[in-house]
Amino acid sequence: MDNIFNNLPDAARMMAEEQFHTLLTRPGVRIERIVSHGQITPVDAPYIQPVDEWVLLLAGAARLWTASDGERDLLPGNHLLIPAHIPHRVTWTLENAPTIWLAIHFEDY
Amino acid sequence: MDNIFNNLPDAARMMAEEQFHTLLTRPGVRIERIVSHGQITPVDAPYIQPVDEWVLLLAGAARLWTASDGERDLLPGNHLLIPAHIPHRVTWTLENAPTIWLAIHFEDY
């Protein structure tokens, strides 16, 4: 059976970018795994998305800034809704172990 | 920040039923936390749902039977799609610790 903690990008080599992997799509929804390894979002390039996104941290640790709530630490089990159009940035992730996120994107039809 | 591992039903008292808690709903989607504590689905009352369901085991351990694939063990990180109309039953969950599932229900508009 598939395991979200398996088949991680090779942490031994330098991961230049966060790794995005779509697990499932359905009308209006996309389920995605994101693996970070020290990456942050550039200060001058926040994410601004046209649709809501629900995020659950599964492993590792991260810090997320949103224009609505400022900077918050995330540990495994933490979850939050990032509303559409709210600028947000990942300001820190663990450097010595993978940080694994589950993201549910509520996409337009 | 909300944590999916917090505010669990009191495991010290006997949980008569699995505990279902909707975390978020959007058109066509419902995100739910399910906490099991030894419960199984009665053999004569399998779940048969009109819509697809995606399940991710977050903590604990469980065994799931589906009419399409038989019985399979689930450990944290295991995930699978239970297609609409496929009879399925939880045939075992840990008795001495909570088993926590994330379920994404793809509901009809």
Side-chain angles (χ1 to χ4, degrees):
Chain A
M1 187 180 304
D2 288 335
N3 192 300
I4 203 162
F5 299 123
N6 292 349
N7 300 313
L8 295 181
D10 182 1
R13 66 175 175 80
M14 182 65 179
M15 271 172 53
E17 305 282 348
E18 291 178 300
Q19 303 292 311
F20 301 88
H21 176 61
T22 295
L23 299 171
L24 187 71
T25 58
R26 280 292 178 279
V29 193
R30 186 165 58 89
I31 301 177
E32 182 180 60
R33 183 186 74 177
I34 305 169
V35 182
S36 311
H37 214 280
Q39 289 88 2
I40 64 170
T41 316
V43 173
D44 58 350
Y47 292 107
I48 305 175
Q49 298 167 169
V51 295
D52 288 351
E53 176 180 1
W54 184 81
V55 171
L56 168 65
L57 201 84
L58 295 173
R63 193 171 301 130
L64 181 74
W65 172 87
T66 66
S68 52
D69 290 277
E71 218 167 5
R72 287 177 288 182
D73 290 329
L74 280 82
L75 290 173
N78 281 141
H79 59 92
L80 75 159
L81 180 70
I82 303 172
H85 310 301
I86 296 289
H88 57 283
R89 292 190 293 117
V90 177
T91 57
W92 174 80
T93 58
L94 277 184
E95 293 193 6
N96 54 0
T99 292
I100 304 176
W101 316 66
L102 184 75
I104 313 289
H105 301 273
F106 301 101
E107 311 204 312
D108 292 329
Y109 267 61
Chain B
M1 187 181 304
D2 288 336
N3 191 301
I4 204 162
F5 299 123
N6 292 350
N7 301 313
L8 295 181
D10 183 2
R13 65 176 176 81
M14 183 64 179
M15 271 172 52
E17 307 281 348
E18 290 179 301
Q19 302 292 310
F20 301 88
H21 176 61
T22 294
L23 299 172
L24 187 71
T25 58
R26 280 292 180 278
V29 192
R30 187 165 57 89
I31 301 177
E32 183 180 59
R33 184 187 74 178
I34 306 170
V35 181
S36 311
H37 215 280
Q39 289 87 2
I40 64 171
T41 315
V43 173
D44 59 351
Y47 293 106
I48 305 175
Q49 299 167 169
V51 295
D52 288 351
E53 176 180 359
W54 183 81
V55 171
L56 168 65
L57 201 84
L58 295 174
R63 193 171 299 129
L64 181 74
W65 172 86
T66 65
S68 52
D69 290 277
E71 217 167 7
R72 287 178 289 181
D73 290 328
L74 279 82
L75 291 172
N78 281 141
H79 59 92
L80 75 159
L81 180 71
I82 303 172
H85 311 301
I86 297 290
H88 57 282
R89 292 190 293 116
V90 177
T91 58
W92 175 80
T93 57
L94 278 184
E95 293 192 7
N96 55 0
T99 292
I100 304 176
W101 316 67
L102 184 75
I104 312 289
H105 302 272
F106 302 100
E107 312 206 310
D108 291 329
Y109 270 60

